[in-house]
Amino acid sequence: MVSQMKALVLSGGAGTRLRPITHTSAKQLVPVANKPVLFYGLESLADAGITDVGMIVGDTAAEIEDAVGDGSKFGLHVTYIPQEKPLGLAHAVLIARDWLGDDDFVMYLGDNFIVGGITGLVEEFRRHRPDAQILLTRVADPRSFGVAELDPSGQVIGLEEKPDDPKSDLALVGVYLFTPAIHEAVRAIRPSWRGELEITHAIQHLIDSRADVRCTVVQGYWKDTGNVVDMLEVNRSVLEGVERRIDGEVDADSETIGRVVVERGARIVNSRIVGPAVIGAGTVVSDSYVGPFTSVAENCRITDSELEFSIVLRDSSIDGVGRIESSLIGRHVQVTPAPSVPSAHRLVLGDHSKVQIHS
C-alpha cells in the first residue's frame, strides 16, 4: 500500500541576497520567464502526484497567500503555517508537526529550481522508503551550502552546514524526502551557532542513529535562486525551452527572430526582438532592441533602448538609456538618461604650476 505523501514548502525568509528587490517583494515570487519561481515548484509537486501542501510563511505571508490562494489553480490544497522568525529548516518541520502527522513528506525550498521536476525522485522514494533521502549536486564553492560526505560506496556518512573547510563538493539541493522518523531527530537537536535548527544536524542525527539515509546526485539543472546571478541564469535556462508565440501586435517595421513570445495586449513598434525572449501582456516596446534571454513582464515600456540577458518586472519603464544587460529591474522602476552637465574644470593652482588637461 502506498502511503499518503505531503509536501512542506518553505516560503518565508528575508531574501537578503536579492535586495533591494526583496525589500518590497517575496523572493519566491520574483519571476523567471514571467512566472514566479515558487510556481515552478508547486507545479512539480502536482506533477509528482502530491496534492496536500503545507506552506511555511513569514513576513511576506500576505503576498504569498495572495499569489497562491488555496492552491486549486495548481491542482493542490494549500494550508498556510506561520513561522514567526526564520529559525532554520528543521524548525519549519518542528512547527508543522501537527499538520504533517505521520505521513511521509517532501520538504521543498520555494526559491529553488530543478529542471525536469521531482517526479522520478518521489517515485524512487516511494519504492524504497528510506528514513530520509537527500539530493546532492556538485558545486564550485561548497562553503555556502550544506555539504555531504560520502564513503567509497556512496553512502552518506556526514553532513556539515556551510563549512569553512568542506569535505566534498557535494552540496545539498533544496529538496528533501522524509518519513516520520525525522520528527524525533528535529526534537533531539539544538540550535547552531547561527541560532537556527539546522536540517543537516537533524539528518546527521538520523545517520548517527543508523537510520537509512540515502542520497541522489542531481544530474540535471538545479539552482538556488537566492541571488541576481542565479536568477538570470535560471531565466536563461527556462527561456531555452520556450516556443515561439505571437499573440500581441507586431507592426510592419518590427522584426521578431527565433523563439519570441509576445503576450496578448503587448505591442512591438519599430523594434527588433531576438529570442529566446518573452514580452509580457500590455507591454509596449518601441524603437528598441530586446535581445536573447530577456524577460519583460506585463505593462512595461521599453523606448529607444537596448536590453539583453535581463529580467524586467511589471509596470517598469526604460526610456532612452542606450544598452542594458545582465540586469534585474524591479517593479514600478523608471530608468531614464541622466541630464547632461556641461563639462568644466575647477582649479586651485599655486604659483608656477603647469597643468595639462584633456578636453
Side-chain angles (χ1 to χ4, degrees):
M1 178 180 175
V2 177
S3 63
Q4 163 87 1
M5 196 162 190
K6 294 178 177 176
L8 190 64
V9 177
L10 276 62
S11 300
T16 54
R17 291 178 295 158
L18 271 176
R19 286 176 179 167
I21 300 295
T22 50
H23 277 309
T24 54
S25 177
K27 63 178 180 176
Q28 298 84 5
L29 297 180
V30 176
V32 167
N34 288 2
K35 181 165 68 175
V37 171
L38 175 61
F39 288 11
Y40 292 96
L42 295 177
E43 289 168 356
S44 71
L45 291 170
D47 290 343
I50 298 172
T51 58
D52 207 0
V53 173
M55 188 89 69
I56 301 291
V57 290
D59 291 342
T60 59
E63 189 179 7
I64 296 289
E65 291 184 34
D66 184 59
V68 176
D70 63 2
S72 57
K73 63 184 175 183
F74 304 98
L76 305 172
H77 177 265
V78 173
T79 299
Y80 292 96
I81 303 169
Q83 185 183 35
E84 291 186 7
K85 294 181 180 179
L87 296 175
L89 305 189
H91 181 259
V93 176
L94 195 65
I95 64 173
R97 178 68 179 94
D98 290 344
W99 179 82
L100 289 166
D102 292 325
D103 294 317
D104 297 347
F105 66 98
V106 178
M107 185 166 72
Y108 197 114
L109 274 58
D111 59 350
N112 275 225
F113 185 89
I114 299 178
V115 169
I118 61 169
T119 299
L121 299 164
V122 170
E123 290 174 350
E124 180 185 355
F125 179 81
R126 286 185 184 277
R127 279 196 303 271
H128 302 289
R129 203 165 176 262
D131 295 302
Q133 186 164 343
I134 59 176
L135 276 63
L136 305 174
T137 191
R138 298 192 184 278
V139 296
D141 184 4
R143 292 174 298 177
S144 300
F145 302 92
V147 177
E149 181 184 4
L150 309 184
D151 67 14
S153 69
Q155 183 69 32
V156 184
I157 58 174
L159 298 174
E160 292 181 287
E161 187 63 34
K162 297 180 173 61
D164 292 330
D165 185 20
K167 294 179 181 177
S168 80
D169 62 351
L170 290 168
L172 275 78
V173 174
V175 179
Y176 308 79
L177 300 99
F178 295 119
T179 67
I182 193 64
H183 296 302
E184 180 183 347
V186 298
R187 289 196 302 269
I189 63 173
R190 296 290 176 263
S192 68
W193 62 270
R194 301 193 302 166
E196 298 186 2
L197 290 175
E198 311 284 3
I199 198 66
T200 47
H201 292 178
I203 299 170
Q204 184 66 53
H205 181 84
L206 290 176
I207 295 170
D208 295 341
S209 303
R210 301 188 181 280
D212 185 6
V213 177
R214 303 187 185 186
C215 67
T216 300
V217 178
V218 177
Q219 302 296 337
Y221 186 87
W222 165 81
K223 278 289 182 183
D224 167 9
T225 60
N227 61 56
V228 173
V229 172
D230 286 342
M231 283 294 302
L232 293 173
E233 183 61 22
V234 171
N235 191 62
R236 181 202 63 76
S237 177
V238 174
L239 288 176
E240 288 277 19
V242 301
E243 298 294 333
R244 181 178 173 86
R245 177 166 51 83
I246 309 295
D247 292 336
E249 299 177 27
V250 179
D251 75 359
D253 296 319
S254 296
E255 180 178 31
T256 59
I257 300 172
R259 290 166 301 177
V260 172
V261 175
V262 179
E263 299 287 1
R264 188 176 305 280
R267 292 193 297 124
I268 312 299
V269 181
N270 192 35
S271 296
R272 188 167 185 255
I273 315 294
V274 179
V278 177
I279 309 299
T283 286
V284 178
V285 179
S286 59
D287 303 306
S288 295
Y289 164 79
V290 176
F293 310 120
T294 301
S295 298
V296 181
E298 64 271 20
N299 301 320
C300 292
R301 297 292 180 269
I302 311 295
T303 307
D304 191 25
S305 301
E306 296 185 4
L307 186 64
E308 189 167 303
F309 193 62
S310 294
I311 298 172
V312 181
L313 276 58
R314 62 179 172 84
D315 301 303
S316 291
S317 65
I318 299 172
D319 187 356
V321 295
R323 186 174 181 84
I324 293 175
E325 60 183 31
S326 303
S327 299
L328 174 57
I329 297 171
R331 300 176 297 180
H332 301 280
V333 170
Q334 294 181 358
V335 183
T336 58
S340 59
V341 178
S343 61
H345 303 286
R346 183 173 182 269
L347 305 174
V348 178
L349 301 175
D351 297 346
H352 308 293
S353 297
K354 182 178 180 180
V355 178
Q356 293 181 326
I357 296 175
H358 292 283
S359 57

